[in-house]
Each structure stands twice: as structure tokens, then as C-alpha cells.
Amino acid sequence: MIKREKIKDLLNSTAFNTEVTVMGWVRTFRNNQFIALNDGSCMGNIQIVVDFANTNEDLLKRITTGAAIAVKGILVESLGKGQKVDIKANSIEILGDSNAEEYPLQPKKHSLEFLREKAHLRFRTNTFNAVFKVRHALAYAIHQFYNERGFVYMHTPVITASDAEGAGEMFKVTTLDFDKTPRTDDGKVDFSADFFGRATNLTVSGQLEGELAAMAFGQIYTFGPTFRAENSNTTRHLAEFWMIEPEIAFADLENNMQLAEDMMKYVISYALENCKDELAFLNERLLDEEKTKPQQERSELSLIEKLNFCLENEFQRLTYTEAIQILKHSKPNQKKQFKYLIDEWGADLQSEHERYLVEKHFKKPVILTDYPKDIKSFYMRMNDDGKTVAAMDILFPGIGEMIGGSQREERMDMLTKRMEEMNIPQEELWWYLDTRRFGSAPHAGFGLGFERLVLFVTGMTNIRDVIAFPRFPKSAEF
Ligand code: 4AD
Ligand code: MG
């Protein structure tokens, strides 16, 4: 069995003059004497002091950036500035060579664009070490939050025959041979010959199945991958992203908003508490990045201030109708600076409008409710006005839509009427409709885009930098 100490523990250790073994990847090797070694346990490196006069020259040559090495040595108090401990190497073993000429990560600052092309290696940088540690902590915090509240974690199917959002932007799943697709008599693709005997796709949301479980357990959540074939080449969209979808029975929109706000505050505060080093690093990274921007584009708050601000303030709640009034009379609308001008009730809000409300007008997270029925999904509960539905979107500064959810239509007649109006075939969703037939009850839920949460908490600007191997139009590498 291999035994080694983690660099994270050693950097905080005072057990000087003891023998330790560390294994990691060389970040730099200076003057044939000082190795900066990183093992991923933290962003920091440990300094290995090499007695080069007594070390084989061939071995020294193989200590190159990117190489994996094992070092046995004595932990000593560091004489150098910037670190508390060093390891005086007694023996060094090369576990895996790395040709310095070919290794893509040079000991210098690389751009995020460059690192995106090298996504298989970018975990080895401080920035991505920090981002993925925060991502991990947030995932853990989400499970902890729901577990503490007695929610049941449901795994909903990845392959499905239904289109939960009715938006039609799905990836098809098939085993049919494209070169000789079987056809029915009227020339359509014959899916009866397909693996499942019908057309299927990758799920866009686990909500509909989640609702079934909520109507038995009372409160459930899903946390899994979802897929959208929308051709959005933006810094906030992925074709494959992870979504958290809680669903609660005996609940209305108010309960839903409260749950969402509690959850957001819980996980952000978990990250602040448990990712201090990572967030301090990302805070500095963002300050540096902001310095390159013109003054008026820089944010007023640092990353950590922004996270604390979210914890300390209630999310602003208002209806779609109120938001339209604000937008209509806003400067960018009057001066025709919006790409999509707001002139009448019923318009769908674009990200420029959402960001205006959050970043310029309220300057804090906003919960928008009661949207026009025509711009929302079939399952949302009709309000008494017959025009709006009990929907909610939670908008965050720098992100726009973070959460989308609603109270669900629990009344069978209202639901089937909406499905008819929106051309959603009832035969295909017979199982969904059964919950309204047998013991229907008020219930509500929402979906949180996990990468958008990670984006917000890490202060990164492109969603492709907070998921390990991003999927987006024309890109499915790795
Ligand atoms: O608003 P959406 O489409 O809502 C649903 O899917 C509902 N079924 C959720 C529910 O009520 N259970 O998506 C929910 C969230 C969005 O607010 C956004 O944060 C994220 O998922 N999202 C995306 N994230 C990254 N890339 C994309 N292409 C995304 N599309 C949605
Ligand atoms: Mg939405």
C-alpha cells in the first residue's frame, strides 16, 4: 500500500524534523534546488529543497514542470519568505516524466480561453483547483440542506419519452441506423424498430417525474444532468448542465419562494465558511480581472462582499406586471438602449431586462412572480385573473436567471385545458395526469441551474469554466 502525506496537512503542520512522504506534480523547479510541488489537496504548493550537489544529474533533469514525483524527506521550518515549511529531500523518485517542451501548462499565467482548449489539464492550475473545490462544496451543501429538512433524493431518468418543458429543444436518443432508417407506410421514421419502440430523448428536466414522487413522499429533490439542444452560444448556457429540482407537496408559491431563498443562503454561507482559501484566491483573481475594465464597468462589491450581501438581504419580490412598469419607464428603454424594447405587457423578458432589474434597479437578487401564461410552461398553476400563472424566476446579479419554478396546476380540468391549448398530447402524459386523478394536492417546485450557482459563487464569468468538460454548440471534446 502506498503511504503519503497530503500537502494541505503539511503546510499547516508544526511536526518539524519528522520524515514525511509527499507525491504530486511539479509546478516549478528553480536553480536545480527548489521544487514547488502540488498534489491537488489545496491550491498551495510545498517547497522541496533539493541537495543538488549530491543528487544524480539525470534525475535532476527529469524534475520538470508537470512531472509526477514522490519525495521522501524531513519537514523543516522554512527559511524562505512566503512559506512556513519546507521538505528537505532525502530521496526523489520520478513517477511519471513530463516533457517540458511539450507540456502545455508553462509556469506562467495562461488565459482562460487557452485553458479551455486544455480542459484535460486545467485542473492542475490554481484557478481551476479553487473553482472545482467550490463546486464540490456547493454540491455537498445542497445535499446537506435537503437532508436536514427531510427531503428524499430522487434519481429521475436521463432517457425519457416526454418533453418536460414543452420547449422542444431536445437531443434524440436512438439505436436506429441513420443510413437506412425504417419508414412507415406514410414515409415517417418507424420508431417501433427502435430500441425502446418509440421516439426518446435526453431529459430537459426531472420535474414531471419529481412531481410523481412528491405526491407520495411529500418533499423530494433531484440533482442530475439535464440536456438542452438550444443553440445558445452564451456565457450562461450549456447543452449539458446539472439541475437541482425540489418538489414539495401541500405548498404554494410562497412556500416555494421561501425554500429557494433559504437554500441559496444556506449553500452560499456553507461555501463562505468551508472554502475560505479558495474564495480568498478567487476574490483576488476577480479584483485583478476588474482592473483591466473601464471604471464604470467594474462592480462595486468584491466577490466576497457580494456573497455576504446576498446573505444579509432579503430577495426583492415583485410581480412580472410590476417589473414591466419599471422596465417601461427605465432609462435604457426610453433611450432605446435595450436591444428588445419593452412596450407592452406580455413581452418575454430578455437577459438585458433581467440584469437591469437586478444590477441597476434593485441591486440585489430578485424574485419575479406571476408571469403571463403564454410565455410559461403548461404545468404552471393558473391565477384567478386567468391571464397569469403562479410562476417564479429568481434573478441574480451578473447571472440573470438562476432559478425557474412555479406552483403546479393541481386541478385536472385546468391542466388538461392548458395542455390542449398548447398542443401537448395527453395520451403521452397519462401517468402525470394520474396524480391529478388520484389524490391531487397543491404542490410547487423549482429548478436551480447548478453551474449558474457555481458561476455566481466563484465569480467566474463564463459557464464553460465551472463545469469540467463543457458541452456547447460544435464542442463535445474530452
Ligand atoms: O427555467 P428552467 O427551464 O426550468 C425547468 O426546467 C423547470 N422544469 C424547473 C422546475 O420547476 N423544476 O430551468 C431551470 C434553471 C434555470 O433557471 C437556469 O438556472 C438553468 O436551469 N438552465 C440552464 N443552465 C445552463 N445552461 C442552460 N442551457 C440552461 N437552461 C436552464
Ligand atoms: Mg426558466
Side-chain angles (χ1 to χ4, degrees), residues 25-28 64-68 97-107 110 114 118 120-125:
W25 294 270
V26 174
R27 284 280 174 90
T28 57
T64 53
T65 298
D97 286 289
S98 167
N99 182 327
E101 242 108 85
E102 292 170 12
Y103 185 58
L105 304 184
Q106 296 303 314
H110 290 293
F114 172 85
K118 309 276 181 271
H120 57 309
L121 297 170
R122 65 179 177 171
F123 300 122
R124 296 189 192 182
T125 65

Short mmCIF file of all heavy atoms in Angstrom, two decimals, residues 25-28 64-68 97-107 110 114 118 120-125:
data_model
loop_
_atom_site.label_atom_id
_atom_site.label_comp_id
_atom_site.label_asym_id
_atom_site.label_seq_id
_atom_site.Cartn_x
_atom_site.Cartn_y
_atom_site.Cartn_z
N TRP A 25 2.63 16.78 -8.41
CA TRP A 25 3.09 17.21 -9.72
C TRP A 25 3.92 18.48 -9.56
O TRP A 25 3.53 19.40 -8.84
CB TRP A 25 1.89 17.47 -10.64
CG TRP A 25 1.15 16.20 -10.93
CD1 TRP A 25 1.39 15.33 -11.95
CD2 TRP A 25 0.08 15.64 -10.16
NE1 TRP A 25 0.54 14.26 -11.86
CE2 TRP A 25 -0.28 14.42 -10.77
CE3 TRP A 25 -0.60 16.02 -9.00
CZ2 TRP A 25 -1.29 13.59 -10.29
CZ3 TRP A 25 -1.60 15.21 -8.51
CH2 TRP A 25 -1.94 14.01 -9.15
N VAL A 26 5.04 18.51 -10.28
CA VAL A 26 5.96 19.64 -10.18
C VAL A 26 5.32 20.85 -10.86
O VAL A 26 4.89 20.77 -12.00
CB VAL A 26 7.30 19.30 -10.87
CG1 VAL A 26 8.22 20.52 -10.90
CG2 VAL A 26 7.96 18.10 -10.19
N ARG A 27 5.25 21.95 -10.12
CA ARG A 27 4.80 23.20 -10.74
C ARG A 27 6.01 23.94 -11.33
O ARG A 27 5.98 24.36 -12.47
CB ARG A 27 4.10 24.09 -9.69
CG ARG A 27 2.68 23.64 -9.31
CD ARG A 27 1.65 24.09 -10.37
NE ARG A 27 0.31 23.56 -10.11
CZ ARG A 27 -0.61 24.16 -9.37
NH1 ARG A 27 -0.35 25.32 -8.79
NH2 ARG A 27 -1.80 23.61 -9.20
N THR A 28 7.05 24.10 -10.50
CA THR A 28 8.27 24.73 -10.99
C THR A 28 9.47 24.09 -10.31
O THR A 28 9.35 23.48 -9.24
CB THR A 28 8.32 26.25 -10.66
OG1 THR A 28 8.19 26.41 -9.24
CG2 THR A 28 7.22 27.01 -11.37
N THR A 64 10.79 18.11 -14.03
CA THR A 64 10.33 19.16 -14.94
C THR A 64 8.88 19.51 -14.62
O THR A 64 8.17 18.74 -13.99
CB THR A 64 10.38 18.64 -16.40
OG1 THR A 64 9.65 17.41 -16.43
CG2 THR A 64 11.80 18.42 -16.86
N THR A 65 8.46 20.67 -15.08
CA THR A 65 7.08 21.10 -14.84
C THR A 65 6.10 20.05 -15.39
O THR A 65 6.20 19.64 -16.53
CB THR A 65 6.82 22.46 -15.52
OG1 THR A 65 7.70 23.41 -14.94
CG2 THR A 65 5.39 22.92 -15.33
N GLY A 66 5.20 19.62 -14.51
CA GLY A 66 4.20 18.64 -14.93
C GLY A 66 4.53 17.21 -14.56
O GLY A 66 3.66 16.35 -14.56
N ALA A 67 5.80 16.94 -14.23
CA ALA A 67 6.18 15.57 -13.88
C ALA A 67 5.58 15.18 -12.53
O ALA A 67 5.41 16.02 -11.64
CB ALA A 67 7.71 15.46 -13.81
N ALA A 68 5.25 13.89 -12.40
CA ALA A 68 4.76 13.39 -11.12
C ALA A 68 5.94 12.79 -10.36
O ALA A 68 6.69 11.98 -10.92
CB ALA A 68 3.68 12.33 -11.34
N ASP A 97 7.31 11.00 -16.07
CA ASP A 97 8.01 12.13 -16.68
C ASP A 97 7.04 13.06 -17.38
O ASP A 97 5.91 12.68 -17.71
CB ASP A 97 9.02 11.60 -17.71
CG ASP A 97 10.23 10.97 -17.05
OD1 ASP A 97 11.03 11.73 -16.48
OD2 ASP A 97 10.35 9.72 -17.09
N SER A 98 7.50 14.28 -17.60
CA SER A 98 6.71 15.23 -18.38
C SER A 98 7.69 16.03 -19.23
O SER A 98 8.53 16.75 -18.69
CB SER A 98 5.94 16.15 -17.44
OG SER A 98 5.42 17.26 -18.13
N ASN A 99 7.58 15.87 -20.53
CA ASN A 99 8.47 16.59 -21.43
C ASN A 99 8.15 18.09 -21.37
O ASN A 99 7.08 18.52 -21.79
CB ASN A 99 8.27 16.06 -22.85
CG ASN A 99 9.20 16.74 -23.84
OD1 ASN A 99 9.52 17.92 -23.70
ND2 ASN A 99 9.65 15.99 -24.84
N ALA A 100 9.09 18.83 -20.82
CA ALA A 100 8.85 20.25 -20.55
C ALA A 100 8.52 21.03 -21.82
O ALA A 100 7.76 21.99 -21.79
CB ALA A 100 10.04 20.86 -19.85
N GLU A 101 9.12 20.59 -22.93
CA GLU A 101 8.87 21.30 -24.19
C GLU A 101 7.43 21.12 -24.67
O GLU A 101 6.84 21.98 -25.28
CB GLU A 101 9.81 20.79 -25.28
CG GLU A 101 10.73 21.87 -25.81
CD GLU A 101 12.16 21.66 -25.32
OE1 GLU A 101 12.86 20.90 -25.98
OE2 GLU A 101 12.51 22.24 -24.28
N GLU A 102 6.89 19.93 -24.38
CA GLU A 102 5.56 19.62 -24.90
C GLU A 102 4.44 19.89 -23.90
O GLU A 102 3.28 20.01 -24.29
CB GLU A 102 5.50 18.14 -25.32
CG GLU A 102 6.35 17.86 -26.54
CD GLU A 102 6.50 16.37 -26.80
OE1 GLU A 102 5.75 15.58 -26.18
OE2 GLU A 102 7.36 16.01 -27.62
N TYR A 103 4.77 19.98 -22.63
CA TYR A 103 3.73 20.16 -21.62
C TYR A 103 3.04 21.52 -21.80
O TYR A 103 3.72 22.56 -21.79
CB TYR A 103 4.35 20.05 -20.23
CG TYR A 103 3.36 20.09 -19.09
CD1 TYR A 103 2.34 19.15 -19.01
CD2 TYR A 103 3.45 21.06 -18.09
CE1 TYR A 103 1.42 19.19 -17.97
CE2 TYR A 103 2.54 21.10 -17.03
CZ TYR A 103 1.53 20.16 -16.98
OH TYR A 103 0.63 20.20 -15.95
N PRO A 104 1.74 21.52 -22.00
CA PRO A 104 1.06 22.79 -22.35
C PRO A 104 1.03 23.84 -21.24
O PRO A 104 0.92 25.02 -21.53
CB PRO A 104 -0.37 22.35 -22.68
CG PRO A 104 -0.31 20.87 -22.88
CD PRO A 104 0.82 20.39 -22.02
N LEU A 105 1.09 23.41 -19.97
CA LEU A 105 0.96 24.38 -18.90
C LEU A 105 2.34 24.88 -18.46
O LEU A 105 3.02 24.23 -17.69
CB LEU A 105 0.24 23.78 -17.69
CG LEU A 105 -1.14 23.19 -17.96
CD1 LEU A 105 -1.77 22.72 -16.65
CD2 LEU A 105 -2.06 24.21 -18.64
N GLN A 106 2.73 26.01 -18.98
CA GLN A 106 4.01 26.59 -18.60
C GLN A 106 3.84 27.33 -17.28
O GLN A 106 2.74 27.72 -16.93
CB GLN A 106 4.48 27.55 -19.70
CG GLN A 106 4.76 26.85 -21.03
CD GLN A 106 5.79 25.74 -20.88
OE1 GLN A 106 6.83 25.93 -20.25
NE2 GLN A 106 5.50 24.57 -21.43
N PRO A 107 4.94 27.47 -16.53
CA PRO A 107 4.81 28.19 -15.26
C PRO A 107 4.62 29.69 -15.47
O PRO A 107 5.49 30.49 -15.21
CB PRO A 107 6.12 27.88 -14.53
CG PRO A 107 7.03 27.33 -15.54
CD PRO A 107 6.26 26.91 -16.73
N HIS A 110 -1.84 31.62 -17.82
CA HIS A 110 -2.48 31.32 -19.10
C HIS A 110 -3.88 31.92 -19.12
O HIS A 110 -4.52 32.04 -18.09
CB HIS A 110 -2.60 29.80 -19.28
CG HIS A 110 -1.29 29.12 -19.51
ND1 HIS A 110 -0.55 29.32 -20.65
CD2 HIS A 110 -0.59 28.25 -18.75
CE1 HIS A 110 0.56 28.59 -20.58
NE2 HIS A 110 0.56 27.93 -19.42
N PHE A 114 -7.34 29.78 -23.42
CA PHE A 114 -6.31 28.78 -23.70
C PHE A 114 -6.56 27.52 -22.86
O PHE A 114 -6.52 26.40 -23.36
CB PHE A 114 -4.92 29.38 -23.39
CG PHE A 114 -3.81 28.38 -23.47
CD1 PHE A 114 -3.20 28.10 -24.68
CD2 PHE A 114 -3.34 27.73 -22.32
CE1 PHE A 114 -2.17 27.17 -24.76
CE2 PHE A 114 -2.31 26.81 -22.38
CZ PHE A 114 -1.73 26.52 -23.61
N LYS A 118 -7.46 23.13 -23.17
CA LYS A 118 -6.66 22.12 -22.47
C LYS A 118 -7.41 21.66 -21.23
O LYS A 118 -6.84 21.51 -20.16
CB LYS A 118 -5.31 22.73 -22.03
CG LYS A 118 -4.56 23.43 -23.15
CD LYS A 118 -3.75 22.46 -23.97
CE LYS A 118 -2.99 23.15 -25.07
NZ LYS A 118 -3.75 23.27 -26.33
N HIS A 120 -8.40 19.01 -20.18
CA HIS A 120 -7.94 17.78 -19.52
C HIS A 120 -6.81 18.04 -18.53
O HIS A 120 -6.52 17.20 -17.69
CB HIS A 120 -7.52 16.74 -20.57
CG HIS A 120 -6.45 17.22 -21.50
ND1 HIS A 120 -6.51 18.42 -22.19
CD2 HIS A 120 -5.27 16.65 -21.85
CE1 HIS A 120 -5.42 18.56 -22.94
NE2 HIS A 120 -4.65 17.51 -22.75
N LEU A 121 -6.17 19.20 -18.65
CA LEU A 121 -5.06 19.52 -17.76
C LEU A 121 -5.32 20.71 -16.86
O LEU A 121 -4.57 20.96 -15.91
CB LEU A 121 -3.79 19.79 -18.61
CG LEU A 121 -3.28 18.61 -19.44
CD1 LEU A 121 -2.19 19.07 -20.40
CD2 LEU A 121 -2.74 17.51 -18.52
N ARG A 122 -6.39 21.46 -17.16
CA ARG A 122 -6.56 22.73 -16.45
C ARG A 122 -6.86 22.58 -14.96
O ARG A 122 -6.67 23.52 -14.19
CB ARG A 122 -7.62 23.61 -17.12
CG ARG A 122 -9.02 23.05 -17.08
CD ARG A 122 -10.03 24.01 -17.75
NE ARG A 122 -11.35 23.39 -17.75
CZ ARG A 122 -12.46 24.03 -18.10
NH1 ARG A 122 -12.41 25.30 -18.49
NH2 ARG A 122 -13.62 23.40 -18.08
N PHE A 123 -7.28 21.37 -14.55
CA PHE A 123 -7.47 21.14 -13.10
C PHE A 123 -6.17 21.39 -12.34
O PHE A 123 -6.19 21.59 -11.13
CB PHE A 123 -7.84 19.67 -12.83
CG PHE A 123 -9.09 19.19 -13.48
CD1 PHE A 123 -9.05 18.10 -14.35
CD2 PHE A 123 -10.31 19.78 -13.21
CE1 PHE A 123 -10.21 17.62 -14.93
CE2 PHE A 123 -11.47 19.30 -13.79
CZ PHE A 123 -11.42 18.21 -14.66
N ARG A 124 -5.06 21.32 -13.04
CA ARG A 124 -3.76 21.45 -12.37
C ARG A 124 -3.37 22.91 -12.13
O ARG A 124 -2.24 23.18 -11.72
CB ARG A 124 -2.67 20.78 -13.21
CG ARG A 124 -2.86 19.28 -13.33
CD ARG A 124 -1.63 18.69 -13.98
NE ARG A 124 -1.83 17.32 -14.40
CZ ARG A 124 -0.87 16.59 -14.94
NH1 ARG A 124 0.34 17.12 -15.14
NH2 ARG A 124 -1.11 15.34 -15.31
N THR A 125 -4.26 23.84 -12.44
CA THR A 125 -3.95 25.25 -12.17
C THR A 125 -4.67 25.68 -10.89
O THR A 125 -5.66 25.08 -10.49
CB THR A 125 -4.42 26.14 -13.32
OG1 THR A 125 -5.85 26.07 -13.39
CG2 THR A 125 -3.84 25.69 -14.66
#
